[in-house]
Amino acid sequence: MKRTLRISLLFFVLPSLLMGQDRRNASSPFGVVASSSPIASDIGAAIMEQGGNAVDAAVATAFAMAVTYPTAGNIGGGGFMLVHPSDGSPPVFIDYREKAPLASTPLMFAEGGSRKNHRYAGVPGTVRGLSLAHELYGNLPWKNVVEPAVRLAKDGFVMHAGLARSISRTVQRSKNAEFKRVYGKAGGGQWQGGDKMVLSDLGATLQRIADHGTAGFYKGETAKLLAAEMKRGGGFITEEDLSRYRARVRVPIHFTYRGFDVYSAPPPSSGGITLAQMLQILENFDLKALGRWSPQAHHLIIEAMRRGYANRAKFLGDSDFVTIPDRLTTKSFAKELAASIDPKKATASDTLGPPITEEEESRETTHFSVIDKTGMGVSNTYTLEAGYGSGVVVKGAGFLLNNEMGDFNPKPGVTNRKGTIGSSANLIKPEKRMLSSMTPTIVGKNGKPYLITGSPGGRTIINTVLCVTINVLDFGMDLRSAIDAPRTDHEWFPERVRFAGARDPAHADLVKALTALGHKVSSGRLGDANSILCTGDTYHGAADSRSGGVAAAKK
Ligand code: DON
């Protein structure tokens, strides 16, 4: 078994099993939330108990995670929310990705260096995004959905052992005085599981958001504190940047896969377009007949990934600034790509275009899924980019800032195997959104959500979503098995396959066969896919065993 999965099982799953409950799974006909934060999942379910719908629950869960899951839960970052309404109207995508500040220039990060600083912060989108989702779909008053997070921050919440360790370690390494002050233990020392964390400044900021909506963040005191923090730390975000920021309603990427409707993230995410290519390539083959762990099926999955990621690097960026070819998501294009796969040999990535390797993305983001009793589904992925983002806490406002500007291509025209990409689609421009891999996805059947999924993991996200989707749709796995199964990742460059089952003796023959086909196979932890599957009238929520999340049901 992989070490990380073993550790997850030891720290997260075993304790809850010993207490007689496995909170990773929850089923109900009335509504379910699956997230990486037990407290936040419970808050989402409680909001539905109060009469809230899936969007109310999602907004409350997201605000709660800004308190209880500081590696990725946020109000100082950005993300994407996909809503599948239950009244027959089409799914809607809410883009609250960060933007480059007005003062940005294409060469601002050409020198490289640490990304843990003010300069890498993009203009945060989360509060605008959650507010827009609520304005469009919410049932309960805004205050009701923000208030649980206000209480958590002001009154404190009990940390589990994993969070206590993560915060203690980060405080120790941090160079940001405000981070140390806010997240450090009074009198020094390590936090322990069971300790209570109070975040008063964050509570006051959340209170302003509860009282004044977006103006509580993008104007007035919070905006002033953020702009002052930028000035002190050499960052670029101004009060003007904040007041100009808007979340956007976009049309999701939509395609069919084996008769199901798949809705996923459009640009500025690369997720939906790349997923559409990979799944529609695979649709040309009978994966089920080949078998989930057969070398042939695996070879096809890897080659579909290689092709999807090659096109991702070549063509994708913020579609408000660049034109993206429509054909990328068509069946005919996927058919051409499928025909280029040699069933007996790994394709050399060079033959799909010049060697380009993107910067490695770090693995801290979070995804949660929600459904309510009417069948309205929400798929939400949001992030600070790296774990704890830039590591900068806004003085007096208590929230962490993202370092999302690192998702732009830093050096125009410079592409190499080492970690730089210079294709023009994703170069920095003022007010442009940086290309993302976040892929909140909803698979629909007969106009209703069937599978709600998504994941963190930087560029690996799209492949995690692919694996979960084929596990359910092609191989008929139940949701728990579909999520726990080892995942596979290939990103065109670097020219390697990461297969989470690579060290498992049960997969030794598979690894041998793939190696014989010319694939370089290594292992690696991939994703955290808190998902929901709808069968009949019942919604099954499953939190990924890799991270200690919880699925909570409305009774
Ligand atoms: O938007 C993106 O694709 C990245 N900034 C997400 C980073 C990420 O997933 C790191 N986490 N696990």
Side-chain angles (χ1 to χ4, degrees):
M1 201 188 316
K2 260 196 72 336
R3 193 169 158 263
T4 44
L5 184 56
R6 233 172 24 227
I7 290 172
S8 305
L9 292 175
L10 191 70
F11 283 108
F12 299 126
V13 180
L14 248 184
S16 62
L17 287 179
L18 289 175
M19 285 161 62
Q21 43 169 200
D22 179 357
R23 297 205 63 210
R24 291 174 303 157
N25 304 313
S27 295
S28 161
F30 304 119
V32 177
V33 182
S35 89
S36 292
S37 164
I39 297 173
S41 292
D42 287 340
I43 282 174
I47 285 288
M48 288 197 271
E49 300 283 349
Q50 285 174 33
N53 64 17
V55 168
D56 292 312
V59 171
T61 301
F63 276 119
M65 288 185 85
V67 183
T68 61
Y69 199 79
T71 59
N74 70 81
I75 53 173
F80 304 121
M81 182 184 288
L82 175 61
V83 180
H84 192 311
S86 52
D87 61 2
S89 56
V92 163
F93 187 81
I94 295 167
D95 162 7
Y96 57 97
R97 181 71 161 165
E98 298 92 327
K99 271 185 166 187
L102 288 162
S104 312
T105 59
L107 295 174
M108 64 195 288
F109 300 120
E111 299 305 320
S114 167
R115 296 182 184 183
K116 287 279 188 189
N117 57 55
H118 297 68
R119 291 161 40 88
Y120 273 87
V123 185
T126 297
V127 176
R128 277 266 177 209
L130 299 179
S131 160
L132 179 58
H134 181 263
E135 192 183 307
L136 293 174
Y137 295 105
N139 253 348
L140 293 178
W142 173 249
K143 260 186 181 264
N144 292 35
V145 294
V146 188
E147 191 58 28
V150 175
R151 295 268 56 91
L152 282 173
K154 286 188 174 174
D155 303 343
F157 67 97
V158 175
M159 288 185 283
H160 58 72
L163 181 61
R165 260 195 315 279
S166 163
I167 292 180
S168 297
R169 202 173 44 229
T170 312
V171 166
Q172 216 161 19
R173 288 184 195 153
S174 171
K175 296 194 179 83
N176 184 262
E178 189 65 358
F179 185 92
K180 286 178 177 293
R181 186 185 76 76
V182 166
Y183 282 101
K185 193 165 181 166
Q190 306 273 312
W191 291 105
Q192 307 294 332
D195 285 352
K196 195 187 232 194
M197 164 79 66
V198 176
L199 297 163
S200 325
D201 290 346
L202 177 58
T205 300
L206 287 164
Q207 185 73 65
R208 288 192 287 277
I209 295 168
D211 293 343
H212 307 295
T214 53
F217 185 87
Y218 293 92
K219 290 200 186 311
E221 184 167 356
T222 314
K224 280 196 173 30
L225 289 168
L226 202 165
E229 180 65 49
M230 286 286 122
K231 262 211 174 119
R232 263 196 310 278
F236 301 99
I237 303 169
T238 60
E239 285 187 66
E240 190 187 358
D241 280 308
L242 292 168
S243 75
R244 287 168 69 99
Y245 184 88
R246 293 290 180 280
R248 298 282 306 269
V249 170
R250 298 193 190 271
V251 178
I253 296 294
H254 172 226
F255 58 98
T256 61
Y257 180 65
R258 305 205 196 272
F260 291 87
D261 285 294
V262 184
Y263 299 94
S264 193
S269 175
S270 58
I273 291 180
T274 309
L275 184 69
Q277 275 168 64
M278 299 192 298
L279 281 174
Q280 293 183 115
I281 291 174
L282 293 174
E283 206 174 22
N284 290 283
F285 305 95
D286 189 350
L287 289 186
K288 192 179 168 128
L290 293 172
R292 179 64 178 94
W293 308 110
S294 69
Q296 295 88 340
H298 239 86
H299 176 63
L300 293 170
I301 293 165
I302 293 162
E303 291 302 331
M305 290 172 173
R306 190 193 310 271
R307 284 155 180 78
Y309 276 72
N311 291 322
R312 174 191 183 278
K314 273 183 237 169
F315 296 115
L316 303 189
D318 181 351
S319 54
D320 288 348
F321 287 74
V322 295
T323 307
I324 296 171
D326 288 337
R327 77 189 162 101
L328 294 180
T329 54
T330 61
K331 298 246 182 249
S332 55
F333 182 59
K335 215 178 179 102
E336 272 173 45
L337 295 172
S340 73
I341 298 176
D342 180 340
K344 299 228 158 54
K345 204 165 114 233
T347 305
S349 287
D350 281 346
T351 62
L352 302 177
I356 298 172
T357 311
E358 284 186 61
E359 302 263 342
E360 282 280 325
E361 286 166 21
S362 63
R363 296 171 193 292
E364 303 292 347
T365 291
T366 192
H367 176 83
F368 61 82
S369 300
V370 186
I371 195 159
D372 66 23
K373 66 173 189 259
T374 70
M376 174 189 265
V378 175
S379 189
N380 188 90
T381 314
Y382 72 152
T383 189
L384 289 164
E385 164 43 20
Y388 300 92
S390 60
V392 173
V393 170
V394 175
K395 192 166 185 179
F399 65 91
L400 275 155
L401 281 169
N402 70 85
N403 58 348
E404 216 77 51
M405 291 292 285
D407 278 1
F408 279 116
N409 297 346
K411 292 187 197 170
V414 179
T415 58
N416 61 36
R417 284 175 187 279
K418 275 210 205 125
T420 309
I421 176 167
S423 63
S424 59
N426 188 35
L427 295 179
I428 304 172
K429 284 209 177 106
E431 301 214 283
K432 189 173 173 183
R433 283 151 149 95
M434 54 297 280
L435 186 66
S436 173
S437 301
M438 291 187 286
T439 313
T441 297
I442 300 183
V443 177
K445 190 161 106 178
N446 303 327
K448 293 189 172 144
Y450 177 61
L451 171 66
I452 307 177
T453 194
S455 177
R459 271 190 298 165
T460 70
I461 290 171
I462 318 169
N463 289 333
T464 288
V465 172
L466 174 81
C467 290
V468 172
T469 305
I470 61 172
N471 286 348
V472 173
L473 301 193
D474 289 271
F475 299 103
M477 291 186 195
D478 64 79
L479 189 58
R480 168 61 43 214
S481 312
I483 289 175
D484 285 351
R487 298 176 185 134
T488 305
D489 172 66
H490 194 294
E491 300 166 13
W492 179 41
F493 282 105
E495 227 170 337
R496 61 143 191 244
V497 179
R498 273 187 289 204
F499 172 45
R503 296 215 187 105
D504 183 341
H507 292 302
D509 288 346
L510 171 58
V511 172
K512 217 189 261 169
L514 290 174
T515 308
L517 286 167
H519 297 291
K520 293 182 200 98
V521 185
S522 60
S523 66
R525 179 192 160 138
L526 296 167
D528 179 22
N530 305 305
S531 307
I532 292 171
L533 184 68
C534 311
T535 58
D537 288 336
T538 307
Y539 308 128
H540 306 277
D544 200 314
S545 304
R546 294 163 183 82
S547 74
V550 150
K554 177 183 181 307
K555 287 175 213 90

